Amino acid sequence: GASLELVAEMKGHTDRVWCAAWNPSGQLLATCSGDKTIRIWGPEGDQWVCKGTIEEVHTRTIRSIAWSPCGRYLASASFDATTAIWACHSGEWECVATLEGHENEVKCVAWDASGTLLATCSRDKSVWVWQASEDHEYECLSVLHDHSQDVKAVKWHPQKQLLFSASYDDTIKIWSEGQDGDGEWECVQSLSGHDTTVWSLAFHPSTQLFASSSADLTVKLWQRQDAPKGSVCEDRWVAHSTLSGHHSRCIFSVDFSSQGYLASGAADDSICIYAESANRDPALPPGSIAPYEIILKLNSAHSSDVNCVSWNPQQPSILASVSDDMSVKIWRFTSP
Amino acid sequence: MSELINPNPVVYNVADIKREARNPQDETDEDVVDEFDNFEIFDLLRNINDPEHPLTLEQLNVAQLKHITVDNQNSLITVTFTPTIPHCSMATLIGLSMRVKLLRSLPSRFKVDIRITPGTHASEAAVNKQLNDKERVAAALENAHLLDVVNRCISNTDR
């Protein structure tokens, strides 16, 4: 059967670890914490070590981090209401820009595939779209107010300039630049289905499917369809399937590997891995994705809540997880 | 002075709640795991101060022994509390104080759910959602003013 084997456990953070992000080459893992620091981890021989610590810019919890697609920059979102952009110069990390505007806690930051757009979201219920320039000037293009409660996560489509957000208002909203060409963004779709807060979003490598995880103890899959002619956005997203009964507490994080395996991490301390069902319904159209089924559940993956799971973008068998237990773990996944 | 939310709360006689004596042999045997029970959880919560009155949550019947369950095997604790009036705007603060008190007193393996006793508050669902969203709780506790209020509610509550 499938297995998840512990490769390394890294200690150093002094408070809960919220988020883990691999750089695009898969050589470095960045993590951020309630201890107000970012740590950069990497292998040295057969050991995983802390290669750097970024501190003393954010004054409160650092909730989320994201690498730019070129791998040269790191963005960090903090409860101090700011988002910082970091650049690495000969091993030293330097803050090159601070994005201000949110009224309170910034909960997530995400770069689009081109590296020119950045999205942030906050407890202030808004989603901001920023445009980056070469000299680290960040201009706010749009402030989006359609969510009625705090926005927990933002995620860009892996190829298109299409933004997805997940909220405490139980919905997922999809945003696109309007057709007027005035640079204003608008909500093109709102997806309901989760019974309570949606915490996390992840795209299937085919980009035809994305997953959402919720405090309602389910993971939902949503699939792409062609939108009717004349729509602002050529994509229309509809419910695909629901994974339930696997976690007993809030599911904070989901991520797809480049091979299409789905991982989830939850407040029940466990990690689950799912794969596309082998028993494909013959009635499914060719090329479409079958429902997923669980292939592995690792109880007590951590000794407290699992806050984030993240697959290595280059080594599809390597998974990172972070927890309230302050540790960062690297796992090797073996498929059945 | 600002107006009180509930100027005349009902004050209850504090019952003399005592736990049944443990097996004395267990108390001295190092191999017996000292499990938590609802008496211990109640002991942690009963003396929390009401944010409005110089009274404890036990005296106001907000916290009650029968509204606490402990599942040691799965490290789960459930606490429900009863606001004194259905429109009590202090409900979130009371729940947050209970959460912080338990967070500081219990081993980290415990998962704690804190909810309003069903049917006793107008905004029951909204308050429950907020109290059990750990990101909102973490952010609230980084707010110096709010933390100060919570600390006052839970000061001198170990008696």
Side-chain angles (χ1 to χ4, degrees):
Chain A
S3 70
L4 206 52
E5 169 206 348
L6 185 66
V7 174
E9 177 175 1
M10 287 100 80
K11 292 187 172 158
H13 279 299
T14 57
D15 200 330
R16 70 157 56 101
V17 191
W18 276 111
C19 176
W22 293 97
N23 72 341
S25 68
Q27 299 295 306
L28 296 173
L29 181 73
T31 58
C32 63
S33 160
D35 68 11
K36 309 180 186 75
T37 72
I38 298 166
R39 285 178 178 262
I40 314 285
W41 313 87
E44 225 170 67
D46 54 3
Q47 296 280 312
W48 277 77
V49 297
C50 181
K51 301 221 162 203
T53 305
I54 305 175
E55 51 199 344
E56 286 172 3
V57 163
H58 288 300
T59 55
R60 292 182 55 185
T61 283
I62 305 176
R63 175 64 183 87
S64 153
I65 37 172
W67 293 86
S68 64
C70 66
R72 285 181 294 156
Y73 308 112
L74 197 56
S76 58
S78 169
F79 284 0
D80 69 11
T82 71
T83 303
I85 311 293
W86 306 87
C88 190
H89 297 293
S90 51
E92 289 293 311
W93 287 90
E94 184 194 345
C95 180
V96 294
T98 306
L99 282 56
E100 295 177 353
H102 281 294
E103 283 171 33
N104 47 42
E105 298 93 275
V106 188
K107 306 233 164 149
C108 188
V109 57
W111 247 296
D112 85 325
S114 71
T116 58
L117 297 178
L118 204 66
T120 56
C121 62
S122 162
R123 182 165 66 85
D124 69 12
K125 306 172 188 176
S126 70
V127 173
W128 291 45
V129 180
W130 308 78
Q131 186 161 40
S133 66
E134 288 292 324
D135 51 359
H136 304 300
E137 291 294 324
Y138 286 80
E139 183 198 352
C140 176
L141 296 179
S142 245
V143 178
L144 307 166
H145 286 292
D146 298 45
H147 279 296
S148 62
Q149 293 288 341
D150 35 335
V151 190
K152 295 292 198 185
V154 280
K155 194 92 183 174
W156 290 92
H157 186 284
Q159 290 155 5
K160 300 174 181 176
Q161 289 195 338
L162 201 57
L163 179 64
F164 294 68
S165 59
S167 169
Y168 189 90
D169 71 10
D170 312 349
T171 71
I172 298 158
K173 294 196 192 292
I174 305 170
W175 315 84
S176 163
E177 192 175 351
Q179 287 175 318
D180 316 352
D182 58 2
E184 279 297 312
W185 285 60
E186 61 188 46
C187 180
V188 291
Q189 220 188 326
S190 183
L191 298 173
S192 303
H194 281 298
D195 294 330
T196 183
T197 306
V198 190
W199 279 87
S200 162
L201 302 169
F203 266 92
H204 187 272
S206 72
T207 76
Q208 297 302 301
L209 195 79
F210 77 88
S212 57
S213 76
S214 166
D216 70 8
L217 313 183
T218 72
V219 172
K220 286 187 181 291
L221 301 179
W222 309 83
Q223 67 179 328
R224 185 195 169 277
Q225 289 183 346
D226 287 328
K229 276 203 165 48
S231 305
V232 172
C233 173
E234 62 187 10
D235 292 349
R236 177 145 194 94
W237 297 84
V238 295
H240 173 276
S241 54
T242 300
L243 292 157
S244 61
H246 306 307
H247 285 294
S248 59
R249 297 183 71 81
C250 178
I251 309 171
F252 290 119
S253 176
V254 274
D255 195 31
F256 274 109
S257 79
S258 59
Q259 294 179 329
Y261 289 104
L262 178 66
S264 61
D268 61 9
D269 308 353
S270 75
I271 294 173
C272 290
I273 313 272
Y274 318 80
E276 196 177 338
S277 174
N279 302 319
R280 196 184 167 84
D281 180 349
L284 275 178
S288 66
I289 297 164
Y292 269 61
E293 59 189 21
I294 189 161
I295 55 169
L296 183 156
K297 178 170 183 179
L298 184 64
N299 286 310
S300 307
H302 283 271
S303 59
S304 192
D305 298 11
V306 180
N307 293 323
C308 182
V309 285
S310 179
W311 292 98
N312 187 302
Q314 302 300 331
Q315 298 166 264
S317 63
I318 298 295
L319 179 76
S321 63
V322 299
S323 165
D324 277 6
D325 70 11
M326 305 188 236
S327 75
V328 178
K329 288 184 176 179
I330 310 281
W331 308 87
R332 183 175 291 108
F333 169 67
T334 310
S335 55
Chain B
M1 186 178 160
S2 62
E3 227 171 280
L4 294 176
I5 308 290
N6 182 3
N8 294 306
V10 180
V11 181
Y12 295 81
N13 281 326
V14 174
D16 189 17
I17 296 171
K18 284 206 183 79
R19 167 195 302 127
E20 289 168 42
R22 289 177 196 269
N23 181 345
Q25 216 171 338
D26 287 357
E27 295 285 352
T28 50
D29 188 343
E30 295 286 324
D31 294 334
V32 172
V33 179
D34 194 2
E35 296 201 320
F36 281 84
D37 58 23
N38 54 345
F39 287 94
E40 271 161 295
I41 306 304
F42 184 63
D43 265 343
L44 293 168
L45 301 175
R46 65 200 299 180
N47 294 315
I48 293 177
N49 307 296
D50 180 79
E52 278 204 321
H53 302 281
L55 295 166
T56 68
L57 297 187
E58 183 184 22
Q59 287 171 317
L60 292 170
N61 242 12
V62 172
Q64 295 178 53
L65 179 67
K66 64 177 180 187
H67 288 157
I68 298 169
T69 62
V70 180
D71 173 354
N72 273 289
Q73 201 179 347
N74 297 305
S75 302
L76 296 173
I77 292 172
T78 311
V79 177
T80 64
F81 67 103
T82 314
T84 53
I85 48 169
H87 291 278
C88 178
S89 61
M90 299 288 167
T92 311
L93 183 58
I94 291 168
L96 190 61
S97 299
M98 297 173 101
R99 183 168 283 291
V100 172
K101 174 73 187 187
L102 294 181
L103 203 64
R104 290 180 186 169
S105 310
L106 294 173
S108 61
R109 69 183 168 94
F110 278 103
K111 311 278 186 186
V112 179
D113 290 318
I114 297 182
R115 295 193 192 89
I116 287 179
T117 310
T120 64
H121 196 273
S123 311
E124 184 182 324
V127 174
N128 286 345
K129 190 169 185 175
Q130 208 171 349
L131 283 177
N132 293 292
D133 180 322
K134 75 169 184 187
E135 190 181 47
R136 299 272 290 239
V137 171
L141 297 181
E142 286 185 3
N143 176 322
H145 168 71
L146 197 53
L147 185 61
D148 185 51
V149 177
V150 167
N151 279 336
R152 263 184 279 146
C153 288
I154 62 176
S155 63
N156 301 315
T157 51
D158 291 319
R159 291 175 202 169

